[in-house]
């Protein structure tokens, strides 16, 4: 199978490309190598992928239509997985223009590519942040998620709507997946799990927002990748919902399109996550408790019933195991510096 993956130097894109290559597929990766966080980490991920003869990399921004077209010519993809984006909830408060450019204009360019190439399945990343204004948990895909509280979340919800329109207009089978707090080896250094790990390991204080009272549905990277792999073959077909007890499919009545949560399904207190890190590291964190930041939410909690009904897969890596695996990987690496 030939797959075009955007964002392959990023955390999730790297792991997905690595898994696809291990499964014997041909992967063309596309990434802008932007300096949102340490580019050396991105280069190290890319070097791992380039060890495979079945991996081809094209460097370019999503806004660069010529480079995207070059990647498409190289890939001739049967599947397109669009993961590249400007990420980060808090950063969107300070640099909103980057989110409009990459997440709206860039995603439009990728959708235009899909319109021309007509892949068997177009898949794109959304986020649990689209649920931020919702009050009830667990978050279920069939419930309204129309109250984003950050521009990052708003651009991702817009991506879902944009992709639905393209699925309807051009018959592109499309799946959008909403990721929930993904962590694990090779993780983003700007996210709390890796940031906490680095600071505790080096004996520096950590800033704990919301006074540690927040709950997050921490999802280990291996579980997320297994779910995405399973969804590749779950090609949406208009008017053919999956039927399972207690499940409401999000298949559109007017397009071959659906949205699926990918989360562990077991929210964890932030202080319990920090305690798991302390135990795995054998060190005690110096915690600086602070109020919640603008754009934060108290809890994220995924319903993964639709994911399981579609793929048969249920995320299974708990916090203790996931954190131990993260720490073991981290201690075996040459420090990339943050």
């Amino acid at each position: 199978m030939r797959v075009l993956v955007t964002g392959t130097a990023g955390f999730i894109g790297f792991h997905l490309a690595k898994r696809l290559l291990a499964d014997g597929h041909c992967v063309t990766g596309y990434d802008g190598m932007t300096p949102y966080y340490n580019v050396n980490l991105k280069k190290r991920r890319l070097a791992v992928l380039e060890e495979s003869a079945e991996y081809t990399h094209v460097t370019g921004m999503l806004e660069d239509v010529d480079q995207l077209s070059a990647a498409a010519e190289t890939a001739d993809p049967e599947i397109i997985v669009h993961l590249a984006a400007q990420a980060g909830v808090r950063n969107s408060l300070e640099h909103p223009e980057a989110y409009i450019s990459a997440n709206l204009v860039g995603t439009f360019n990728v959708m235009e590519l899909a319109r021309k190439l007509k892949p068997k399945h177009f898949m794109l990343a959304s986020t649990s942040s689209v649920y931020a204004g919702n009050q009830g948990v667990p978050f279920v895909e069939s419930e309204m998620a129309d109250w984003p509280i950050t521009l990052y979340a708003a651009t991702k919800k817009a991506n879902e709507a944009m992709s639905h329109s393209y699925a309807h207009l051009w018959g592109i089978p499309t799946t959008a997946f909403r990721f929930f707090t993904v962590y694990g080896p090779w993780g983003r250094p700007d996210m709390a799990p890796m940031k906490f790990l680095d600071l505790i390991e080096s004996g520096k204080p950590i800033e704990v927002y919301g006074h540690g009272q927040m709950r997050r549905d921490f999802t280990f990277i291996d579980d997320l990748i297994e779910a995405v792999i399973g969804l590749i073959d779950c090609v949406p077909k208009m008017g053919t919902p999956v039927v399972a007890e207690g499940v409401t499919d999000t298949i559109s009545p007017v397009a071959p399109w659906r949205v699926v949560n990918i989360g562990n399904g077991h929210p964890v207190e932030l202080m319990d996550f920090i305690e798991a890190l302390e135990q795995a590291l054998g060190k005690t964190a110096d915690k600086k408790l602070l109020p919640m930041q603008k754009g934060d939410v108290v809890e994220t909690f995924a319903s993964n019933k639709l994911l399981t009904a579609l793929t048969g897969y249920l995320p299974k890596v708990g916090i203790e195991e996931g954190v131990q695996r993260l720490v073991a990987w981290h201690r075996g690496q040459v420090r990339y510096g943050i």
Side-chain angles (χ1 to χ4, degrees):
M1 183 169 65
R2 300 180 306 279
V3 188
L4 172 62
V5 182
T6 68
T8 45
F11 173 37
I12 296 172
F14 161 73
H15 278 280
L16 178 61
K18 189 168 177 281
R19 169 61 184 276
L20 289 167
L21 292 167
D23 288 348
H25 303 297
C26 297
V27 178
T28 298
Y30 189 83
D31 200 290
M33 306 296 288
T34 60
Y36 171 60
Y37 58 81
N38 197 319
V39 176
N40 289 332
L41 175 57
K42 298 182 179 184
K43 290 179 179 178
R44 288 182 59 211
R45 293 180 185 134
L46 188 56
V48 172
L49 298 178
E50 289 180 328
E51 291 175 1
S52 171
E54 299 303 320
Y55 180 79
T56 303
H57 188 77
V58 178
T59 298
M61 301 293 286
L62 294 173
E63 298 90 330
D64 190 333
V65 175
D66 290 340
Q67 282 293 76
L68 267 176
S69 297
E73 290 176 7
T74 300
D76 187 23
E78 299 166 87
I79 307 293
I80 297 176
V81 186
H82 176 41
L83 302 174
Q86 177 58 59
V89 169
R90 291 168 187 161
N91 187 61
S92 69
L93 302 177
E94 300 176 4
H95 303 287
E97 68 284 348
Y99 293 77
I100 299 301
S101 179
N103 297 1
L104 296 185
V105 176
T107 296
F108 163 73
N109 290 338
V110 176
M111 292 192 309
E112 276 290 284
L113 198 67
R115 179 176 69 85
K116 296 170 185 175
L117 296 176
K118 302 188 185 307
K120 295 178 182 177
H121 199 175
F122 176 53
M123 311 175 78
L124 74 160
S126 186
T127 173
S128 62
S129 295
V130 301
Y131 291 114
N134 290 33
Q135 301 300 310
V137 291
F139 297 142
V140 179
E141 302 94 331
S142 57
E143 295 178 352
M144 184 178 69
D146 289 339
W147 298 317
I149 62 173
T150 65
L151 183 64
Y152 168 66
T155 62
K156 285 299 189 175
K157 188 61 195 290
N159 288 168
E160 293 180 12
M162 292 161 63
S163 68
H164 180 271
S165 71
Y166 265 59
H168 169 74
L169 291 169
W170 311 113
I172 305 168
T174 301
T175 298
F177 15 71
R178 294 172 177 167
F179 296 151
F180 283 71
T181 316
V182 189
Y183 75 103
W186 298 97
R188 277 173 40 199
D190 63 305
M191 290 186 68
M194 192 64 74
K195 184 183 293 185
F196 286 166
L197 191 164
D198 271 311
L199 292 172
I200 297 170
E201 179 82 311
S202 59
K204 298 177 182 177
I206 62 173
E207 294 181 338
V208 183
Y209 293 100
H211 300 286
Q213 300 303 307
M214 296 186 291
R215 289 161 56 87
R216 290 289 180 268
D217 199 343
F218 291 99
T219 307
F220 194 68
I221 185 63
D222 290 6
D223 275 333
L224 181 135
I225 296 303
E226 194 67 37
V228 172
I229 292 293
L231 286 168
I232 288 176
D233 291 331
C234 298
V235 182
K237 295 181 181 179
M238 185 173 60
T240 58
V242 64
V243 178
E245 186 176 353
V247 174
T248 301
D249 198 351
T250 55
I251 192 74
S252 168
V254 295
W257 182 98
R258 68 160 52 92
V259 62
V260 183
N261 287 339
I262 303 182
N264 185 271
H266 296 88
V268 173
E269 295 280 352
L270 185 56
M271 296 301 283
D272 290 342
F273 185 86
I274 294 170
E275 182 180 352
L277 276 173
E278 291 175 322
Q279 291 178 352
L281 289 167
K283 298 183 178 183
T284 301
D286 178 8
K287 308 174 191 70
K288 183 179 180 181
L289 302 181
L290 298 170
M292 285 184 64
Q293 287 193 313
K294 189 176 294 187
D296 269 345
V297 295
V298 174
E299 181 176 26
T300 63
F301 181 179
S303 167
N304 50 34
K305 290 182 179 180
L306 178 56
L307 171 67
T308 302
L310 289 166
T311 66
Y313 186 73
L314 182 67
K316 57 189 177 183
V317 179
I319 286 298
E320 290 78 12
E321 178 186 350
V323 166
Q324 288 171 3
R325 289 164 65 176
L326 172 60
V327 169
W329 168 83
H330 188 266
R331 286 183 162 172
Q333 298 301 303
V334 177
R335 295 297 292 274
Y336 50 82
I338 56 173

